[in-house]
């Protein structure tokens, strides 16, 4: 059984003391593919170190996270472009809009989001979308960029059924993580109305741990818990969910 964590920040400082053990626990649970989103230039060196340490299992993305869009965002976007000139990545991400912390940067976030979508199109790569308190704003940008060359993952999907269907209309798959296990998370109520070919699994480690670890540090081995919940929703075995969602990740990332 091969499980794929399509979104995990294993280079995070939260794993500084036990990163190898965390990855080993995940491997023991059958999680052997880890897709690593970027945040900003301050983490690039740590991402490359992680890849060198576990080259068979680590798949890097490159992009500028919306909460890192500040006054210097143009320099940060230039750095993203420069990294793409040096080497290949599996996606442009994570990118998007986050209005939870600061609404004053919306215009800059929109510019950065659009520019990185256009980079992904030039590179024929998927995008990985971060959306927090910003569904309307994210959909507005996607609407302006929609087409056969726009595709990817709506990471950490937390919307309702109508928002899920709209996300799918832009050639996105839904990233399903720990929220699906929350008592009042909501998405478990309608997820079986979304064909399982349209979802992938993720942890977003070290954030958003599934129950019963909610509020504690998340790690990639917990993808098994998410897979078990998804299996119960779709009336499938965990092995079937692993096979289908890993194939879905291969369809997106082409690896």
């Amino acid at each position: 059984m091969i499980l794929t964590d399509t979104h995990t920040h294993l280079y995070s400082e939260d794993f500084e003391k036990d990163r190898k053990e965390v990855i080993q626990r995940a491997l023991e649970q059958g999680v052997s593919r880890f897709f690593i989103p970027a945040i900003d230039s301050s983490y690039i060196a740590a991402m490359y170190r992680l890849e060198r340490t576990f080259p068979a299992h680590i798949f890097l993305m490159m992009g500028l996270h919306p909460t890192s869009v500040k006054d210097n965002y143009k320099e940060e976007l230039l750095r993203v472009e420069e990294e793409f000139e040096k080497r290949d990545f599996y996606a442009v991400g994570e990118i998007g809009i986050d209005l939870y912390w600061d609404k004053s940067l919306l215009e800059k976030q929109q510019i950065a989001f659009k520019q990185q979508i256009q980079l992904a199109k030039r590179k024929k790569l998927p995008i990985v979308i971060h959306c927090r308190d910003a569904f309307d704003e994210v959909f507005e940008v996607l609407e302006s960029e929609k087409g056969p060359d726009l595709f990817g993952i709506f990471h950490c999907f937390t919307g309702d059924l109508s928002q899920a269907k709209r996300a799918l209309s832009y050639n996105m798959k839904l990233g399903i993580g720990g929220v699906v296990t929350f008592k009042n998370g909501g998405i478990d109520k309608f997820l079986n109305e979304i064909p399982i070919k349209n979802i992938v699994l993720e942890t977003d480690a070290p954030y958003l741990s599934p129950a019963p670890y909610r509020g504690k540090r998340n790690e990639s081995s917990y993808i098994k818990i998410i897979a078990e919940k998804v299996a119960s929703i779709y009336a499938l075995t965990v092995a079937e969910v692993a096979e289908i969602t890993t194939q879905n990740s291969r369809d997106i990332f082409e690896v």
Side-chain angles (χ1 to χ4, degrees):
M1 183 174 72
I2 297 174
L3 284 158
T4 300
D5 189 348
T6 60
H7 201 106
T8 176
H9 299 269
L10 287 168
Y11 55 83
S12 166
E13 298 93 335
D14 294 71
F15 300 114
E16 208 57 55
K17 293 180 179 176
D18 62 347
R19 184 172 290 108
K20 288 185 179 179
E21 292 82 356
V22 165
I23 293 174
Q24 186 57 42
R25 281 196 292 273
L27 292 171
E28 289 168 1
Q29 291 294 325
V31 191
S32 57
R33 292 156 47 82
F34 308 90
F35 287 83
I36 310 296
I39 294 175
D40 56 40
S41 61
S42 68
Y43 288 97
I44 292 174
M47 291 172 64
Y48 289 164
R49 279 197 302 272
L50 178 67
E51 182 186 48
R52 286 195 300 272
T53 308
F54 299 95
H57 303 289
I58 299 297
F59 304 89
L60 299 184
M61 311 177 202
M62 182 51 59
L64 178 62
H65 193 291
T67 59
S68 289
V69 172
K70 309 293 184 188
D71 288 338
N72 70 332
Y73 78 98
K74 291 181 180 177
E75 289 85 352
E76 284 285 333
L77 290 175
L78 187 60
R79 179 68 186 277
V80 170
E81 298 259 7
E82 288 170 350
E83 294 304 314
F84 269 100
E85 289 172 10
K86 295 176 189 174
R87 53 162 294 164
D88 293 331
F89 295 93
Y90 291 94
V92 177
E94 63 187 284
I95 64 177
I97 299 176
D98 188 317
L99 300 180
Y100 180 79
W101 301 104
D102 188 347
K103 293 180 174 61
S104 70
L105 293 166
L106 173 59
E107 187 177 353
K108 288 184 174 70
Q109 288 189 24
Q110 288 169 319
I111 294 168
F113 189 23
K114 280 182 72 78
Q115 193 169 322
Q116 292 181 97
I117 290 173
Q118 289 161 7
L119 169 63
K121 288 178 173 181
R122 292 197 302 274
K123 297 290 184 179
K124 296 181 170 55
L125 288 173
I127 60 171
V128 173
I129 299 172
H130 172 105
C131 173
R132 192 171 188 190
D133 288 1
F135 275 103
D136 290 343
E137 292 80 3
V138 165
F139 285 145
E140 183 181 343
V141 174
L142 293 178
E143 183 67 26
S144 71
E145 293 290 338
K146 68 181 179 182
D149 53 353
L150 175 69
F151 68 106
I153 296 172
F154 214 108
H155 146 63
C156 190
F157 185 79
T158 56
D160 58 26
L161 179 59
S162 65
Q163 290 166 329
K165 289 179 176 177
R166 186 164 182 191
L168 298 182
S169 76
Y170 297 115
N171 298 324
M172 298 296 142
K173 294 194 188 297
L174 306 182
I176 303 300
V179 174
V180 76
T181 70
F182 294 175
K183 197 170 186 180
N184 298 310
I187 57 175
D188 58 315
K189 305 295 190 294
F190 66 81
L191 190 59
N192 65 352
E193 297 184 49
I194 301 296
I196 195 170
K197 68 178 183 181
N198 292 320
I199 74 167
V200 292
L201 305 184
E202 61 166 70
T203 59
D204 199 20
Y207 315 108
L208 287 173
S209 289
Y213 300 104
R214 190 173 181 181
K216 299 177 181 175
R217 184 189 72 171
N218 200 2
E219 58 179 76
S220 287
S221 63
Y222 296 166
I223 206 88
K224 185 85 171 288
I225 298 170
I226 296 162
E228 288 167 352
K229 179 65 175 182
V230 169
S232 72
I233 291 170
Y234 285 99
L236 297 169
T237 66
V238 173
E240 287 170 328
V241 168
E243 182 179 1
I244 294 165
T245 56
T246 286
Q247 184 57 52
N248 294 345
S249 75
R250 294 187 197 280
D251 294 342
I252 287 287
F253 295 115
E254 296 191 347
V255 65

